[in-house]
Amino acid sequence: MRAPIPIQIREPYFTKVFKPVVFALALLPLALLGWGVWQDTLGANPIETVTRSLGEWTLRFLLLTLLLSTLRRATSWVQGIRLRRMLGLFAFFYGVLHLLSYLWLDQFFDWAEIWYDIVERPFITVGMLAFVLMLPLALTSFKAAIRKLGRNWQRLHTLIYPLTVLGVLHFWWLADSKARTEVPLIYAILLAILLGERLWRWFVPRFSKTPVTR
Amino acid sequence: MLIKRPFDLTDNDVTDYALYQRRRDFLKTLGGIALIGASGFPLSATAKSAFSTDEAQTPFDDITTYNNFYEFGTDKSDPARYASMMKTSPWSVTVGGECAKPGKFALEDILKPHSKEERIYRLRCVEGWSMVIPWLGFPLADLLKRFEPTSKAKYVSFETLFDPEQMPGQKRNVLDWPYAEGLRMDEAMHPLSFIATGLYGKDLLNQNGAPLRLVVPWKYGFKSIKSIVKISFVEEQPDTSWGRSAPGEYGFYSNVNPEVDHPRWSQRKERRIGEFRKRETLMFNGYAEQVASLYSGMDLRKNY
């Protein structure tokens, strides 16, 4: 078998240039939102725009994080995996801002109303749950935690699968029962592809009749 | 066929928008922006209505760019973008059902007998936002009476234009097209029920439901059907598009009620467009004094 031609960004360009550029790009949505608020270009209901946009960016970064390991398997570009923690933390960062915009701009820290929302509205319940599941991942993203948790770190971080499913469901249920699901549908399809790849990889070796060459 | 505009006043003649804007600018230079809302600055040629609120009016740009009109797309910016595809002239309205004078009427004939008045109404969307809109139009009751509904007419139903070429959102099956809404006869005949043909002294823009739309200010916005082409007097409670789509979420009455939540939106509070903090939602959108008697004896949790 032919060895795949490795696609690599040469060191130190990867760490000195590529990574910082990705970092800056990841901050761009926030900067654009801030600019929009400042210039009042976010439409008649800017608070809704800000909250929804932050929520969508959370989902996008979660999907990007999942995409990196798929890319590593599908291509010979292995460096991407070194962006995984950064993009995962950006997902958390936008998730925190999304939650904050809900708690502050939308509900004005009216805790009774917020609690009522969590209990009564399934899409809020699911969104909150997704956020709670993000917490342990963000909190154990440091090198010391990775070392300390060992194999359990891997296990813990499979939480990204259920939490991303909950995130997509959160968006889906927010949309009208029938009318506005086209955008959430795109996220659902992308997530299905990313999770499908993992399931395929897990199932096929187990059930294929031909022996797997090791 | 060329249908000429009638010789009498058009909506634009009522108050020239440029003049209206100049007045606004004048007031602004006086630092009196708040005054406009506070005084409900009267339009010279239109009758003042006792039903008008004196609350601060939502800016014209917000009213005309933040719309739910799924015939042009489900995003709130879609209607302003695509509604120009709809041709509102010529326009006709078909009236039928339990009435003595059914028929198909040209828009000009529908409008001609009515003198326009301004009604500054609150509008509350089921999604939890609200506006204050200075409508221009005439009472729905005045229009309906002309067709002489019979005693069998217990309800009146309305339909919006169905033409996917002019309304690209109808190419997708997001709702049962054509959009249908309805009122009980006594609701329709209530003096607050209004047919709007303009706002802010201008002709109605397409995204706001040109050339004529319903306005029922004590009900959620989706009851106020836009771009009406059909009016029917019926015996039985008519189906509505939203009712068919999600009967558990959108009842026939759809009265603004802070006590009855929607599964996705609490109805206790609302964000007035342009304001930062939310405000409490009022029963019947603040029109309880005028309309509560229509529903006496009804369980408003069941008849939401």
Side-chain angles (χ1 to χ4, degrees), chain A residues 171-183:
Chain A
F171 192 23
W172 189 282
W173 280 350
L174 162 77
D176 286 348
S177 42
K178 189 175 166 191
R180 285 176 181 168
T181 44
E182 68 269 81
V183 183

Side-chain angles (χ1 to χ4, degrees), chain B residues 109-122:
Chain B
D109 299 326
I110 291 274
L111 300 182
K112 205 166 184 177
H114 301 281
S115 54
K116 305 263 164 56
E117 62 177 288
E118 190 188 58
R119 294 275 182 99
I120 305 163
Y121 278 164
R122 290 177 288 273

